[in-house]
Amino acid sequence: MIWAFDKIKGEYERLTSSINKICAEDYYYYQIDPNGDVDHTLLEDVLSEIEMVGNNLIDKILGSRSLHYVPINGAQKGELAFYIALLMFRGPSFRDGIAEIYGQIARQTLNKVWDNAKVPKPLQELVEKEGLSNVIDLQINSTVSLEHMAKSAQAAALEFLKKEWVLINAPEGSNFVTGDVPVVFSPYHQSVGDVGPAHPLAEILYPISKDTALILTPSNDPKEYILVGEYNDALLHEINTKISGAATKYVYSSEKFNWLVSSSRTLGNGQRLVSNVASQGISIVKNPWKRKTNKQKQVDA
Protein backbone atom coordinates (compact mmCIF):
# COMPACT_ATOMS: atom_id res chain seq x y z
CA MET A 1 0.00 0.00 0.00
CA ILE A 2 1.34 3.43 -0.94
CA TRP A 3 0.24 7.06 -0.75
CA ALA A 4 -0.96 8.82 -3.90
CA PHE A 5 -0.45 12.58 -4.18
CA ASP A 6 -2.76 14.35 -6.63
CA LYS A 7 -0.78 17.13 -8.35
CA ILE A 8 -3.90 18.82 -9.69
CA LYS A 9 -5.59 19.04 -6.28
CA GLY A 10 -2.31 19.60 -4.45
CA GLU A 11 -3.08 17.04 -1.77
CA TYR A 12 -2.73 13.40 -0.83
CA GLU A 13 -5.69 11.09 -1.22
CA ARG A 14 -7.35 10.12 2.04
CA LEU A 15 -6.43 6.43 1.91
CA THR A 16 -3.45 4.46 0.68
CA SER A 17 -3.68 2.66 -2.66
CA SER A 18 -2.75 -0.89 -3.59
CA ILE A 19 0.23 -1.08 -5.94
CA ASN A 20 -1.81 -3.50 -8.06
CA LYS A 21 -4.39 -0.82 -8.87
CA ILE A 22 -2.28 2.22 -9.67
CA CYS A 23 -1.17 3.04 -13.24
CA ALA A 24 -3.34 0.21 -14.52
CA GLU A 25 -5.99 0.15 -17.23
CA ASP A 26 -7.69 -2.92 -18.64
CA TYR A 27 -7.08 -3.61 -22.33
CA TYR A 28 -4.72 -0.62 -22.62
CA TYR A 29 -2.58 -2.47 -25.18
CA TYR A 30 -5.35 -3.89 -27.33
CA GLN A 31 -4.63 -4.44 -31.02
CA ILE A 32 -6.74 -4.68 -34.17
CA ASP A 33 -5.71 -7.50 -36.50
CA PRO A 34 -5.90 -7.37 -40.35
CA ASN A 35 -9.40 -8.87 -40.20
CA GLY A 36 -10.64 -6.04 -38.01
CA ASP A 37 -10.92 -8.21 -34.92
CA VAL A 38 -9.66 -6.97 -31.54
CA ASP A 39 -6.94 -8.83 -29.66
CA HIS A 40 -6.37 -7.64 -26.10
CA THR A 41 -4.04 -10.41 -24.89
CA LEU A 42 -1.21 -10.85 -27.40
CA LEU A 43 0.75 -7.71 -26.60
CA GLU A 44 -0.13 -7.91 -22.91
CA ASP A 45 1.48 -11.38 -22.79
CA VAL A 46 4.64 -10.07 -24.49
CA LEU A 47 4.86 -7.15 -22.07
CA SER A 48 4.42 -9.52 -19.13
CA GLU A 49 7.47 -11.49 -20.30
CA ILE A 50 9.53 -8.30 -20.56
CA GLU A 51 8.35 -7.22 -17.11
CA MET A 52 9.34 -10.56 -15.61
CA VAL A 53 12.87 -10.32 -17.02
CA GLY A 54 13.22 -6.67 -15.96
CA ASN A 55 11.86 -7.24 -12.46
CA ASN A 56 14.22 -10.18 -11.92
CA LEU A 57 17.18 -8.02 -12.93
CA ILE A 58 16.05 -5.25 -10.59
CA ASP A 59 15.89 -7.79 -7.76
CA LYS A 60 19.45 -8.81 -8.66
CA ILE A 61 20.58 -5.18 -8.50
CA LEU A 62 18.87 -4.57 -5.17
CA GLY A 63 20.51 -7.70 -3.79
CA SER A 64 23.97 -6.34 -4.68
CA ARG A 65 23.50 -2.67 -3.84
CA SER A 66 25.67 -2.88 -0.71
CA LEU A 67 28.74 -3.60 -2.90
CA HIS A 68 30.98 -1.02 -4.56
CA TYR A 69 29.54 -2.02 -7.91
CA VAL A 70 26.79 -4.31 -9.22
CA PRO A 71 28.02 -7.00 -11.64
CA ILE A 72 25.86 -7.33 -14.74
CA ASN A 73 26.73 -8.74 -18.16
CA GLY A 74 26.05 -7.13 -21.51
CA ALA A 75 22.99 -9.24 -22.35
CA GLN A 76 21.37 -8.50 -18.99
CA LYS A 77 22.11 -4.81 -19.32
CA GLY A 78 20.55 -4.80 -22.77
CA GLU A 79 17.38 -6.44 -21.45
CA LEU A 80 17.16 -3.98 -18.58
CA ALA A 81 17.80 -1.03 -20.91
CA PHE A 82 14.83 -2.04 -23.07
CA TYR A 83 12.68 -2.60 -19.96
CA ILE A 84 13.47 0.93 -18.73
CA ALA A 85 12.95 2.48 -22.16
CA LEU A 86 9.63 0.71 -22.55
CA LEU A 87 8.49 2.11 -19.20
CA MET A 88 9.17 5.54 -20.63
CA PHE A 89 7.27 5.03 -23.90
CA ARG A 90 4.41 2.71 -22.97
CA GLY A 91 2.29 5.25 -21.07
CA PRO A 92 -0.04 8.13 -22.00
CA SER A 93 2.77 10.72 -21.90
CA PHE A 94 4.01 9.23 -25.19
CA ARG A 95 1.10 7.27 -26.66
CA ASP A 96 -1.46 10.08 -26.40
CA GLY A 97 0.90 12.45 -28.18
CA ILE A 98 1.33 10.01 -31.07
CA ALA A 99 -2.44 9.55 -31.36
CA GLU A 100 -2.89 13.33 -31.38
CA ILE A 101 -0.40 13.64 -34.25
CA TYR A 102 -2.51 11.17 -36.23
CA GLY A 103 -5.53 13.27 -35.30
CA GLN A 104 -3.88 16.39 -36.67
CA ILE A 105 -3.12 14.64 -39.94
CA ALA A 106 -6.71 13.39 -40.15
CA ARG A 107 -8.01 16.91 -39.46
CA GLN A 108 -5.85 18.42 -42.21
CA THR A 109 -7.07 15.75 -44.63
CA LEU A 110 -10.66 16.36 -43.57
CA ASN A 111 -10.31 20.09 -44.21
CA LYS A 112 -9.12 19.42 -47.75
CA VAL A 113 -11.90 16.92 -48.42
CA TRP A 114 -14.52 19.20 -46.88
CA ASP A 115 -13.65 22.08 -49.18
CA ASN A 116 -14.46 19.93 -52.19
CA ALA A 117 -17.38 18.02 -50.74
CA LYS A 118 -21.08 18.50 -51.36
CA VAL A 119 -22.76 18.61 -47.97
CA PRO A 120 -26.29 19.54 -46.86
CA LYS A 121 -26.73 23.27 -46.46
CA PRO A 122 -27.73 23.14 -42.73
CA LEU A 123 -24.51 21.25 -41.92
CA GLN A 124 -22.46 23.63 -44.02
CA GLU A 125 -23.95 26.62 -42.17
CA LEU A 126 -23.23 24.98 -38.80
CA VAL A 127 -19.61 24.38 -39.74
CA GLU A 128 -19.24 27.96 -40.97
CA LYS A 129 -20.59 29.20 -37.66
CA GLU A 130 -18.85 26.83 -35.21
CA GLY A 131 -15.80 25.68 -37.13
CA LEU A 132 -15.14 22.21 -38.51
CA SER A 133 -13.16 20.97 -35.49
CA ASN A 134 -16.02 21.97 -33.14
CA VAL A 135 -18.66 20.15 -35.17
CA ILE A 136 -16.86 16.94 -36.10
CA ASP A 137 -15.17 14.88 -33.41
CA LEU A 138 -12.22 12.91 -34.75
CA GLN A 139 -11.78 9.54 -33.05
CA ILE A 140 -8.32 8.00 -33.20
CA ASN A 141 -7.70 4.44 -32.01
CA SER A 142 -4.87 4.35 -29.50
CA THR A 143 -3.48 1.35 -31.42
CA VAL A 144 -1.79 3.77 -33.86
CA SER A 145 0.91 4.40 -31.23
CA LEU A 146 1.87 0.77 -30.52
CA GLU A 147 4.42 0.40 -33.32
CA HIS A 148 5.94 3.79 -32.48
CA MET A 149 6.09 2.75 -28.81
CA ALA A 150 8.12 -0.38 -29.56
CA LYS A 151 10.48 1.25 -32.07
CA SER A 152 11.11 4.28 -29.87
CA ALA A 153 11.86 2.08 -26.87
CA GLN A 154 14.31 0.04 -28.94
CA ALA A 155 16.11 3.16 -30.20
CA ALA A 156 16.30 4.69 -26.72
CA ALA A 157 17.56 1.44 -25.16
CA LEU A 158 20.53 1.41 -27.55
CA GLU A 159 21.43 4.92 -26.38
CA PHE A 160 21.00 3.91 -22.74
CA LEU A 161 23.71 1.28 -23.19
CA LYS A 162 26.19 4.03 -24.14
CA LYS A 163 25.76 5.77 -20.78
CA GLU A 164 27.30 5.24 -17.36
CA TRP A 165 24.90 3.46 -15.01
CA VAL A 166 25.06 4.63 -11.40
CA LEU A 167 23.08 3.34 -8.44
CA ILE A 168 22.23 5.70 -5.58
CA ASN A 169 21.21 4.29 -2.19
CA ALA A 170 19.32 6.55 0.19
CA PRO A 171 19.97 6.00 3.92
CA GLU A 172 17.28 4.83 6.29
CA GLY A 173 14.71 7.56 6.82
CA SER A 174 15.19 9.12 3.36
CA ASN A 175 12.98 7.89 0.52
CA PHE A 176 12.60 8.43 -3.19
CA VAL A 177 9.18 9.04 -4.70
CA THR A 178 7.86 7.75 -8.00
CA GLY A 179 4.98 8.73 -10.24
CA ASP A 180 2.67 7.82 -13.09
CA VAL A 181 5.66 8.68 -15.32
CA PRO A 182 8.30 6.49 -13.62
CA VAL A 183 11.29 7.22 -15.90
CA VAL A 184 12.52 10.80 -16.33
CA PHE A 185 14.92 12.36 -18.81
CA SER A 186 16.64 15.74 -18.69
CA PRO A 187 19.70 17.42 -20.25
CA TYR A 188 22.99 16.38 -18.66
CA HIS A 189 24.03 20.04 -18.44
CA GLN A 190 21.81 23.12 -18.50
CA SER A 191 23.91 24.49 -21.35
CA VAL A 192 22.83 21.56 -23.57
CA GLY A 193 19.30 22.90 -23.96
CA ASP A 194 16.26 20.78 -24.77
CA VAL A 195 16.94 17.13 -25.51
CA GLY A 196 14.84 14.05 -26.22
CA PRO A 197 15.01 10.83 -24.19
CA ALA A 198 17.23 9.10 -26.78
CA HIS A 199 19.64 12.04 -27.10
CA PRO A 200 23.30 11.19 -26.30
CA LEU A 201 23.42 14.06 -23.77
CA ALA A 202 20.19 13.13 -21.99
CA GLU A 203 20.38 11.86 -18.43
CA ILE A 204 17.88 9.16 -17.47
CA LEU A 205 16.51 8.81 -13.95
CA TYR A 206 14.62 5.79 -12.65
CA PRO A 207 13.88 5.10 -8.95
CA ILE A 208 13.74 1.29 -8.71
CA SER A 209 12.66 1.19 -5.07
CA LYS A 210 11.78 3.63 -2.31
CA ASP A 211 15.44 3.90 -1.26
CA THR A 212 17.33 3.13 -4.49
CA ALA A 213 17.54 5.08 -7.75
CA LEU A 214 19.28 4.30 -11.02
CA ILE A 215 20.88 7.13 -13.01
CA LEU A 216 22.03 6.70 -16.61
CA THR A 217 24.42 9.52 -17.36
CA PRO A 218 26.39 10.42 -20.53
CA SER A 219 29.98 9.14 -20.49
CA ASN A 220 32.87 8.76 -22.91
CA ASP A 221 33.98 5.54 -21.21
CA PRO A 222 30.98 3.75 -19.66
CA LYS A 223 31.58 0.63 -17.59
CA GLU A 224 29.64 -2.54 -18.26
CA TYR A 225 28.90 -3.00 -14.56
CA ILE A 226 26.73 -0.62 -12.51
CA LEU A 227 28.63 1.78 -10.27
CA VAL A 228 27.36 2.49 -6.76
CA GLY A 229 27.52 6.25 -6.28
CA GLU A 230 27.62 8.39 -3.17
CA TYR A 231 24.40 9.71 -1.68
CA ASN A 232 23.80 13.26 -0.53
CA ASP A 233 20.69 15.21 0.49
CA ALA A 234 20.94 17.56 -2.48
CA LEU A 235 20.86 14.60 -4.87
CA LEU A 236 17.82 13.13 -3.11
CA HIS A 237 16.01 16.47 -3.45
CA GLU A 238 16.98 16.77 -7.13
CA ILE A 239 15.78 13.26 -7.95
CA ASN A 240 12.47 13.67 -6.10
CA THR A 241 11.87 17.07 -7.69
CA LYS A 242 12.42 15.70 -11.21
CA ILE A 243 10.21 12.67 -10.61
CA SER A 244 7.42 14.82 -9.13
CA GLY A 245 7.65 17.30 -11.98
CA ALA A 246 7.49 14.56 -14.61
CA ALA A 247 4.35 12.97 -13.19
CA THR A 248 1.20 13.73 -15.16
CA LYS A 249 -1.19 13.62 -12.21
CA TYR A 250 -0.04 11.30 -9.43
CA VAL A 251 3.13 11.11 -7.36
CA TYR A 252 3.48 7.97 -5.24
CA SER A 253 5.37 7.62 -1.96
CA SER A 254 5.74 5.17 0.90
CA GLU A 255 4.76 7.91 3.35
CA LYS A 256 3.31 11.40 3.28
CA PHE A 257 5.82 14.17 2.61
CA ASN A 258 5.14 17.76 3.65
CA TRP A 259 7.57 19.10 1.03
CA LEU A 260 5.42 17.60 -1.71
CA VAL A 261 2.32 19.42 -0.48
CA SER A 262 4.12 22.74 -0.03
CA SER A 263 5.74 22.62 -3.48
CA SER A 264 2.69 21.34 -5.40
CA ARG A 265 2.19 24.63 -7.28
CA THR A 266 5.67 24.48 -8.79
CA LEU A 267 5.70 20.84 -9.88
CA GLY A 268 4.83 21.54 -13.52
CA ASN A 269 2.42 19.83 -15.92
CA GLY A 270 4.29 16.58 -16.41
CA GLN A 271 6.75 15.12 -18.87
CA ARG A 272 5.39 14.64 -22.37
CA LEU A 273 7.53 12.89 -24.95
CA VAL A 274 5.52 14.38 -27.82
CA SER A 275 4.94 18.11 -27.47
CA ASN A 276 3.32 20.99 -29.38
CA VAL A 277 0.44 18.77 -30.45
CA ALA A 278 -3.11 20.12 -30.28
CA SER A 279 -5.64 17.74 -28.74
CA GLN A 280 -8.80 19.84 -29.13
CA GLY A 281 -11.43 18.08 -31.23
CA ILE A 282 -9.61 14.73 -31.08
CA SER A 283 -10.87 11.76 -29.05
CA ILE A 284 -8.52 8.87 -28.38
CA VAL A 285 -10.27 5.49 -28.27
CA LYS A 286 -8.33 3.64 -25.59
CA ASN A 287 -10.58 0.84 -24.44
CA PRO A 288 -13.35 -0.68 -26.58
CA TRP A 289 -14.59 -2.72 -23.60
CA LYS A 290 -14.71 0.12 -21.09
CA ARG A 291 -18.12 0.30 -19.46
CA LYS A 292 -19.97 3.36 -20.71
CA THR A 293 -21.59 5.84 -18.36
CA ASN A 294 -25.33 6.55 -18.64
CA LYS A 295 -24.52 9.91 -20.21
CA GLN A 296 -22.42 8.26 -22.93
CA LYS A 297 -25.17 5.72 -23.62
CA GLN A 298 -27.67 8.55 -24.08
CA VAL A 299 -25.34 10.32 -26.52
CA ASP A 300 -24.86 7.11 -28.54
CA ALA A 301 -28.60 6.61 -28.63
Side-chain angles (χ1 to χ4, degrees), residues 123-271:
L123 180 58
Q124 187 175 12
E125 292 175 349
L126 180 62
V127 169
E128 290 175 354
K129 179 181 179 181
E130 302 292 340
L132 187 60
S133 61
N134 294 323
V135 175
I136 298 178
D137 179 34
L138 293 174
Q139 293 190 339
I140 307 297
N141 281 333
S142 62
T143 54
V144 299
S145 62
L146 292 176
E147 183 177 357
H148 299 278
M149 174 189 78
K151 289 184 176 180
S152 297
Q154 185 177 30
L158 293 175
E159 285 298 327
F160 291 176
L161 292 174
K162 301 175 184 178
K163 302 180 187 295
E164 190 81 89
W165 291 34
V166 182
L167 200 67
I168 302 297
N169 294 314
E172 186 176 354
S174 298
N175 293 331
F176 296 111
V177 299
T178 188
D180 50 21
V181 178
V183 180
V184 177
F185 71 95
S186 59
Y188 180 51
H189 290 299
Q190 291 183 350
S191 59
V192 173
D194 293 334
V195 298
H199 194 282
L201 296 180
E203 187 171 73
I204 310 300
L205 174 60
Y206 173 39
I208 60 177
S209 74
K210 68 177 183 178
D211 49 13
T212 307
L214 186 61
I215 303 176
L216 281 54
T217 186
S219 173
N220 292 326
D221 184 27
K223 311 296 187 297
E224 183 177 79
Y225 54 82
I226 301 174
L227 297 170
V228 177
E230 295 185 2
Y231 164 89
N232 61 68
D233 291 338
L235 184 57
L236 173 74
H237 175 73
E238 179 183 354
I239 291 173
N240 281 342
T241 299
K242 287 182 177 180
I243 290 293
S244 303
T248 302
K249 183 177 181 182
Y250 288 109
V251 180
Y252 302 106
S253 56
S254 58
E255 58 184 273
K256 289 184 176 181
F257 294 121
N258 292 329
W259 66 263
L260 194 52
V261 178
S262 61
S263 62
S264 61
R265 294 185 179 180
T266 61
L267 291 180
N269 298 322
Q271 171 181 283

